[in-house]
Amino acid sequence: MLLSSYLQGKWVSGEGVKTPLVDPVKGVEIASVCGESLDINAAMEYSRRMGGPALREMTFAARGRLLGAIAARLSASRDVWYRTALANSGSTRADAAMDIEGTIQTLRYYASLGEKLGETKLLIEPGEDRLTRDPAFQAVHFWTPVSGVAVHINAFNFPGWGMWGKAAVALLSGVPVITKPAVSTSMLAWEMLRDVVGLLPPGAISLLMGSGQGLLDSITRDDVISFTGSAQTARKLRAHPRVQEMNPRFNVEADSLNASVLGPDVVANESIFNVYVEEMSREILLKAGQKCTTARRLIVPRSIASSVADSISAKLGSTVMGNPRNPGVGLGPLVTKQQQAVVLESIEKLCTVATVVHKGNASPVDADANIASFVPAHLLRCDASDAGIVHELEAFGPCSTVIPYDNPEQSIALARLGGGSLVCSLFSNDSEWALRAGLQLGNLHGRVLLVDDAVAASHTDHSIVMPQCVHGGPGRAGGGEELGGTRGMRIYHQRTAVQTSADRIAKIRESALEFSL
Ligand code: NAP
């Protein structure tokens, strides 16, 4: 089956070389895509001409209702999405839930945000600034959506949530979307869009199946690019001549060497220790470690480093790797043979400075190791003081490294070596250390999670991205910022200062909502 693209309000197939989508357990082709010969320029024009005006004509509440309708439709067909995630990504039920339930919850959240913003199209900041001696001449800042198209380029690990998390924010902002999923796992995005596309005005959302070659050739100054993927691809896209020339808004979510630090107060086998061990084991296993937020560096007090490593190893050792169709399986495959090769090579590189504490059984249950793309769970330990690579190389699979520290200052210094990450978590009941560390790590992270006994049972996990909180990180992580409630809408809006009379400002306020993004 050739999965077509949805451009200019029609399902169209490219003509040329087809790229197969493969079941990563069975190694068989399940579908193919071809992005060649498609008129992407015309599709972008159509979105700007049809989708943009239709969305901007609607109030925030009306756009929110569209998102709510999409969420309801997707929610009703859950079983289909779980089957597709299994077939195309090799996802266990828990792996798929992160993507599918994350999709539905994020859409519902932005639907409710639309309702809160209400029956208005215009946002105006509270308060005026007086500019001269004349009190009648004042300034106020207002926000309007950009008139271009949002080009969303997504990574392979979240074909559902990656697409809808970005699209929800753009659509609520009144900006049409052209979304390009990563080819290898794109079937879920394709199926979901087929199910809901009729709910949206023409041109509000388009889907490009295929490599995306030529996608940026038609970018204009009013467009927004939002990219999730590797730092290498991000560099390439940023350097694209058309992007350089047009200078569109460009959000990047890239690699991340997320740290999770166990506090200096923690002793082996106490409650917070057990919470940490439980969570870090899950970090390695869930989605076979293919999460941008996975805790890659486990920074722990040297005095209990062996206890941490042994306890996590025991959890990993009791998990079965294999075909997710078998209900006893807790670790599925990576999405492709290519990813398997890259991750095994990365682990080998990490082992030039780290030792292997735990390596799972290499023989998958109910699958052929030669055909499928499994990587056994790995726990490494690095005691070297000059272990640069552990803080720089992201093995995008089921692998994390225990890094012991000797004093509280070193715990923070080691976490900072990630050079900018999406998330850092701190597990400790010592509030003095946790708050100091949390604040010192803030400028290198988009999100900091502080876990103590009080929230041990209720917190939302190191990896989970909540739509209320910003997602993104500085430096190595790309410098982007997504979601975060209305904060994520900022990139789709222009803030404008209007300098005029107080009377006119009062008139503008009549139809606007007092709000700042
Ligand atoms: P990737 O190879 O960089 O690809 C990302 C996306 O870019 C894919 O859709 C890819 O399409 C597309 N692409 C590549 N070249 C392009 C071009 N010339 N024009 C237009 N699109 C192009 O990354 P990946 O392997 O999918 O994902 C793994 C990486 O993503 C990891 O490094 C991970 O850390 C990062 N990631 C980050 C986040 C985050 O939020 N920070 C989230 C998830 C993943 P094809 O599929 O056709 O190659």
Side-chain angles (χ1 to χ4, degrees):
M1 176 175 48
L2 180 65
L3 307 182
S4 46
S5 295
Y6 187 73
L7 303 172
Q8 299 186 69
K10 292 188 289 282
W11 290 96
V12 286
S13 296
E15 280 172 23
V17 179
K18 294 179 186 137
T19 309
L21 274 59
V22 174
D23 178 325
V25 177
K26 300 177 179 172
V28 295
E29 180 175 328
I30 54 172
S32 63
V33 300
C34 174
E36 290 177 30
S37 79
L38 296 169
D39 193 344
I40 297 172
N41 185 37
M44 306 253 281
E45 263 309 307
Y46 182 82
S47 297
R48 292 183 201 108
R49 187 164 41 82
M50 301 290 290
L55 288 168
R56 290 195 296 276
E57 192 55 38
M58 302 168 84
T59 61
F60 285 106
R63 293 177 212 146
R65 284 191 286 276
L66 284 184
L67 298 178
I70 295 171
R73 182 71 71 85
L74 293 180
S75 172
S77 307
R78 271 194 174 85
D79 289 350
V80 179
W81 319 137
Y82 277 90
R83 275 201 296 278
T84 303
L86 173 61
N88 192 188
S89 296
S91 302
T92 64
R93 186 88 191 167
D95 297 343
M98 200 171 168
D99 194 24
I100 294 163
E101 304 305 329
T103 294
I104 295 167
Q105 283 164 19
T106 302
L107 281 161
R108 281 191 184 141
Y109 170 75
Y110 275 96
S112 70
L113 213 53
E115 196 181 316
K116 277 191 199 131
L117 290 171
E119 300 295 346
T120 182
K121 302 174 202 167
L122 184 64
L123 302 178
I124 188 160
E125 290 189 354
E128 290 87 31
D129 290 295
R130 189 166 146 186
L131 303 174
T132 66
R133 281 191 190 162
D134 178 3
F137 184 57
Q138 297 188 349
V140 72
H141 291 79
F142 69 98
W143 296 87
T144 41
V146 300
S147 53
V149 60
V151 174
H152 293 166
I153 301 173
N154 283 310
F156 66 77
N157 56 339
F158 284 101
W161 174 82
M163 173 168 86
W164 288 112
K166 279 182 166 62
V169 183
L171 294 171
L172 183 58
S173 298
V175 178
V177 170
I178 292 193
T179 184
K180 189 204 109 48
V183 167
S184 56
T185 57
S186 53
M187 194 160 185
L188 183 63
W190 182 80
E191 284 187 337
M192 283 179 161
L193 198 86
R194 277 184 85 83
D195 201 26
V196 304
V197 77
L199 299 170
L200 289 160
I205 192 160
S206 308
L207 174 72
L208 179 62
M209 300 293 286
S211 72
Q213 289 299 328
L215 179 57
L216 301 187
D217 295 348
S218 307
I219 283 289
T220 66
R221 294 186 173 85
D222 295 334
D223 297 333
V224 179
I225 303 170
S226 186
F227 168 83
T228 297
S230 64
Q232 198 187 356
T233 307
R235 270 195 298 278
K236 198 170 83 182
L237 301 186
R238 271 187 167 134
H240 188 287
R242 180 80 181 178
V243 173
Q244 294 277 305
E245 187 191 344
M246 290 292 149
N247 192 27
R249 291 145 191 256
F250 200 154
N251 192 78
V252 171
E253 305 285 350
D255 309 352
S256 191
L257 274 295
N258 313 291
S260 184
V261 189
L262 193 55
D265 57 306
V266 179
V267 295
N269 299 319
E270 69 165 347
S271 60
I272 205 85
F273 175 95
N274 295 332
V275 168
Y276 186 78
V277 165
E278 188 67 42
E279 179 136 353
M280 292 306 115
S281 313
R282 209 165 49 239
E283 281 297 299
I284 295 168
L285 298 170
L286 192 61
K287 285 183 76 64
Q290 301 166 105
K291 305 184 288 331
C292 49
T293 45
T294 296
R296 304 283 171 200
R297 300 177 300 138
L298 315 188
I299 299 172
V300 305
R302 190 176 300 280
S303 57
I304 55 168
S306 297
S307 304
V308 172
D310 291 348
S311 304
I312 295 177
S313 298
K315 298 251 174 217
L316 300 179
S318 64
T319 302
V320 177
M321 179 181 83
N323 189 336
R325 291 162 185 90
N326 180 327
V329 161
L331 175 62
L334 301 195
V335 295
T336 57
K337 279 303 235 187
Q338 190 195 2
Q339 275 304 114
Q340 180 194 42
V342 172
V343 169
L344 289 173
E345 194 189 328
S346 300
I347 293 173
E348 218 174 289
K349 286 183 184 158
L350 292 175
C351 287
T352 56
V353 294
T355 51
V356 178
V357 179
H358 173 86
K359 179 179 173 186
N361 187 340
S363 303
V365 169
D366 293 346
D368 181 339
N370 295 316
I371 292 171
S373 42
F374 288 95
V375 169
H378 281 71
L379 185 66
L380 312 182
R381 172 170 173 155
C382 179
D383 290 275
S385 54
D386 56 347
I389 194 167
V390 168
H391 304 286
E392 283 160 19
L393 179 66
E394 181 192 36
F396 205 63
C399 175
S400 297
T401 304
V402 173
I403 305 171
Y405 68 83
D406 292 308
N407 55 64
E409 270 53 53
Q410 199 191 10
S411 68
I412 302 170
L414 285 167
R416 289 185 68 84
L417 291 179
S421 302
L422 298 170
V423 52
C424 179
S425 57
L426 308 169
F427 287 69
S428 167
N429 280 318
D430 177 350
S431 290
E432 195 268 320
W433 172 81
L435 291 174
R436 183 160 51 88
L439 294 177
Q440 284 185 27
L441 291 168
N443 58 14
L444 280 179
H445 294 87
R447 177 164 62 90
V448 177
L449 167 70
L450 309 181
V451 179
D452 61 6
D453 278 343
V455 295
S458 59
H459 77 90
T460 50
D461 283 8
H462 170 99
S463 274
I464 302 284
V465 175
M466 301 300 289
Q468 294 89 337
C469 298
V470 291
H471 173 60
R476 188 191 310 285
E481 192 178 88
E482 291 185 322
L483 299 171
T486 53
R487 297 171 189 90
M489 294 164 64
R490 183 182 276 231
I491 196 169
Y492 300 106
H493 282 80
Q494 176 63 42
R495 175 164 42 190
T496 308
V498 57
Q499 302 169 307
T500 186
S501 68
D503 286 351
R504 285 182 171 181
I505 290 176
K507 275 238 167 313
I508 298 174
R509 284 202 187 284
E510 279 171 18
S511 61
L513 176 72
E514 207 166 81
F515 196 86
S516 186
L517 292 175

